[in-house]
Amino acid sequence: MFGHGHKAQKGTTVKLESSLRDTQQASSIILNAIEDGVMLIDKNGVIQLFNPGASKITGWPENEARNLDFRSVIKLVDAKGEAYTPDQDPLTQIFKNPNETIRDNKGFLVTRGNQQVPISISVSPLISTDQTLTGVVAIFRDVTKERMEEKQRSEFISTASHEMRTPVAAIEGYLALAMNDKVSTIDSRAKNYLEKAHESTQHLGQLFQDLLTSAKAEDGRLISHPELMELGSYIEQLCNDLKFAADKKGLALEFNIGNSQTIDATKSAVGGQKVVKPLYYSRADPERMREVITNLFDNAVKYTDQGKITIGMTGDNQIVQIYIKDTGVGIPEEDIPHLFQKFYRVDNSATRTIGGTGLGLYICRKILELYQGRIWVESEMGKGSTFFINLPRLSTEQAQKEKLNITSANISAAPTPLTGSMVQ
Ligand code: ADP
């Protein structure tokens, strides 16, 4: 009896030990077998584990990478070959802000042999029970094939939409001629059909234009000339141009700057009254920003039957926040997470009758990403929606310094259309 029990106990211990060993063995078999690079970094930034996948991608043998600082081994650059800034680098970020997994799938890793490999990387913090950071796990993979396919796809879309724009423009032109009673004689029924055809051609033209822009945004060919902008005066000016479209639909347009001030979009531009406003400096391309704001504004007009549209700005030391608020149909909660994806349109009676490509918000997101910006929406059905944009803010001192640098470098060709209208 005793003998049997003893035997059983010994058996359990052996089993336990061997199962532990099995688990360790299984983990190391998996780590050795997977193609993905897996790396464990301790809280001091020193590499503790470096699997064969990581060696294959980076060109660093495991025994050399281990015990080195991760910065010596994992060097990331952008599509132009410029080193990631600490703000862009997911590994540097996770040590600063160890809250959640950070992913990046746009960068390139510079291998030991100085080759650039497109990678997708995700880094997760390891948090101990007392909530302190004990280390970081990084998983990365070579995405050469995926990026190549993506590039081919977007090249195809670019070429196709570019080629198709020309005949569409020709059709649009001829339809306009056919509808012009100084040039052509047609009966009213035919005119009605032609007007419908003209509308559809315009829609098609817009679709090709949006496709071209989104394909460019995807492979980093979107032209952007960021410059110092004072967004307050810029948007105030823009509101002035946008006012007509709101008027046409019988909607009011209001411009809000700072946390409390409300300025009527018409009066502030024409009246020239002096109001002390905070200065909201950031770096972006004014043309691209016009595209974003106009797009959000056009949507606000499109999806609002009555009431008003408010364009406003607030900010703190870090960010400038722009918002575009409407009193329109609202967006169902379940659609919100998908809204900034390509071709996504809410499917309901309101949107079915309103033309659109479903590319506008996607393009907005892509443009804002160029300036480390962010866009999101809050909405209530039947009450309206508010689209928010956050951009990194430059302090007035930083902005003045930058302005001085530009002047002293004497870049007279640099476009500075905003300085004239800047509110001091
Ligand atoms: P579209 O060309 O269809 O307007 P967008 O990408 O600009 O494409 O917008 C995507 C979808 O988001 C729209 O089809 C619409 O359903 C919804 N949407 C965008 N803006 C608003 C808004 N201000 N109010 C209600 N719905 C909106």
Side-chain angles (χ1 to χ4, degrees):
M1 194 55 197
F2 176 72
H4 183 73
H6 181 71
K7 230 175 157 185
Q9 224 175 11
K10 201 172 163 198
T12 317
T13 322
V14 169
K15 246 193 220 152
L16 206 91
E17 270 173 10
S18 73
S19 82
L20 244 173
R21 242 199 340 266
D22 283 353
T23 321
Q24 278 173 355
Q25 245 172 13
S27 307
S28 89
I29 288 172
I30 293 170
L31 280 174
N32 288 334
I34 56 172
E35 275 187 23
D36 288 10
V38 180
M39 191 170 68
L40 177 67
I41 306 168
D42 68 17
K43 64 175 190 300
N44 302 316
V46 177
I47 298 173
Q48 297 298 341
L49 185 151
F50 203 73
N51 80 335
S55 293
K56 193 163 169 233
I57 299 169
T58 60
W60 282 84
E62 189 263 350
N63 57 348
E64 288 185 41
R66 204 161 18 89
N67 294 329
L68 281 185
D69 186 285
F70 74 85
R71 277 163 282 242
S72 319
V73 177
I74 305 294
K75 293 179 185 146
L76 299 179
V77 297
D78 62 18
K80 290 185 196 132
E82 282 169 23
Y84 266 23
T85 59
D87 275 354
Q88 288 171 305
D89 191 299
L91 279 164
T92 314
Q93 275 305 314
I94 200 107
F95 277 97
K96 256 207 236 157
N97 239 336
N99 298 323
E100 51 191 37
T101 301
I102 304 179
R103 296 184 178 83
D104 181 285
N105 51 18
K106 296 194 201 83
F108 294 77
L109 181 135
V110 182
T111 65
R112 197 180 191 200
N114 246 348
Q115 300 288 318
Q116 292 184 8
V117 180
I119 61 156
S120 126
I121 181 166
S122 90
V123 294
S124 309
L126 299 173
I127 307 285
S128 65
T129 41
D130 62 355
Q131 298 306 311
T132 55
L133 180 75
T134 54
V136 164
V137 177
I139 302 175
F140 48 98
R141 79 157 50 138
D142 179 343
V143 288
T144 308
K145 194 164 160 264
E146 288 88 335
R147 293 259 178 100
M148 184 87 84
E149 283 167 3
E150 224 172 76
K151 190 158 173 260
Q152 281 169 346
R153 214 172 27 238
S154 94
E155 266 170 14
F156 170 74
I157 294 174
S158 283
T159 319
S161 42
H162 191 80
E163 291 302 318
M164 285 189 272
R165 260 191 332 171
T166 319
V168 168
I171 298 171
E172 206 182 321
Y174 283 118
L175 286 173
L177 281 176
M179 288 189 303
N180 184 341
D181 44 10
K182 289 196 190 101
V183 188
S184 321
T185 323
I186 47 169
D187 66 22
S188 63
R189 267 214 345 240
K191 190 164 183 194
N192 188 17
Y193 296 145
L194 288 183
E195 270 166 4
K196 291 218 161 69
H198 191 242
E199 255 172 46
S200 295
T201 332
Q202 273 181 327
H203 183 197
L204 201 58
Q206 184 64 48
L207 181 62
F208 289 146
Q209 180 62 48
D210 284 356
L211 271 175
L212 200 60
T213 315
S214 64
K216 281 185 182 167
E218 255 156 51
D219 55 18
R221 283 182 300 120
L222 206 58
I223 295 165
S224 164
H225 301 290
E227 59 182 70
L228 180 67
M229 295 181 70
E230 200 287 294
L231 286 158
S233 52
Y234 177 80
I235 291 192
E236 188 172 354
Q237 192 74 36
L238 190 56
C239 279
N240 216 26
D241 302 341
L242 299 175
K243 207 190 155 290
F244 299 101
D247 265 355
K248 220 167 126 186
K249 214 178 161 186
L251 300 168
L253 174 62
E254 203 173 85
F255 177 58
N256 266 2
I257 191 156
N259 290 324
S260 56
Q261 216 165 12
T262 303
I263 306 156
D264 185 300
T266 30
K267 280 191 203 132
S268 63
V270 187
Q273 78 260 48
K274 280 220 155 150
V275 202
V276 182
K277 297 171 203 166
L279 296 175
Y280 293 112
Y281 286 107
S282 191
R283 286 199 122 266
D285 180 332
E287 265 320 298
R288 293 281 167 224
M289 283 312 292
R290 171 187 285 273
E291 244 175 289
V292 171
I293 308 289
T294 309
N295 203 332
L296 296 177
F297 171 81
D298 285 347
N299 277 350
V301 173
K302 254 187 350 191
Y303 301 108
T304 305
D305 286 332
Q306 54 182 3
K308 72 172 177 193
I309 294 162
T310 313
I311 301 188
M313 300 193 64
T314 58
D316 61 18
N317 290 340
Q318 307 289 322
I319 56 141
V320 181
Q321 184 169 92
I322 306 167
Y323 59 87
I324 289 108
K325 183 174 171 21
D326 64 51
T327 53
V329 292
I331 302 162
E333 208 181 324
E334 65 270 23
D335 290 301
I336 288 183
H338 311 287
L339 221 55
F340 299 91
Q341 291 165 3
K342 250 189 297 186
F343 296 114
Y344 196 85
R345 302 200 70 212
V346 176
D347 185 19
N348 60 25
S349 57
T351 50
R352 242 171 272 143
T353 51
I354 302 171
T357 61
L359 283 166
L361 291 178
Y362 172 75
I363 293 173
C364 287
R365 172 165 73 85
K366 290 308 243 187
I367 291 178
L368 290 165
E369 281 172 5
L370 292 176
Y371 314 121
Q372 280 78 53
R374 185 164 105 67
I375 180 168
W376 74 102
V377 66
E378 286 170 11
S379 185
E380 200 177 327
M381 285 304 284
K383 291 227 165 121
S385 317
T386 309
F387 283 81
F388 294 91
I389 292 171
N390 275 7
L391 281 170
R393 182 173 183 177
L394 291 179
S395 69
T396 308
E397 294 75 53
Q398 282 170 313
Q400 299 296 356
K401 234 191 245 164
E402 230 178 271
K403 262 197 263 179
L404 281 177
N405 285 345
I406 293 176
T407 328
S408 62
N410 200 15
I411 310 173
S412 49
T416 50
L418 293 175
T419 43
S421 61
M422 223 171 253
V423 185
Q424 295 301 336

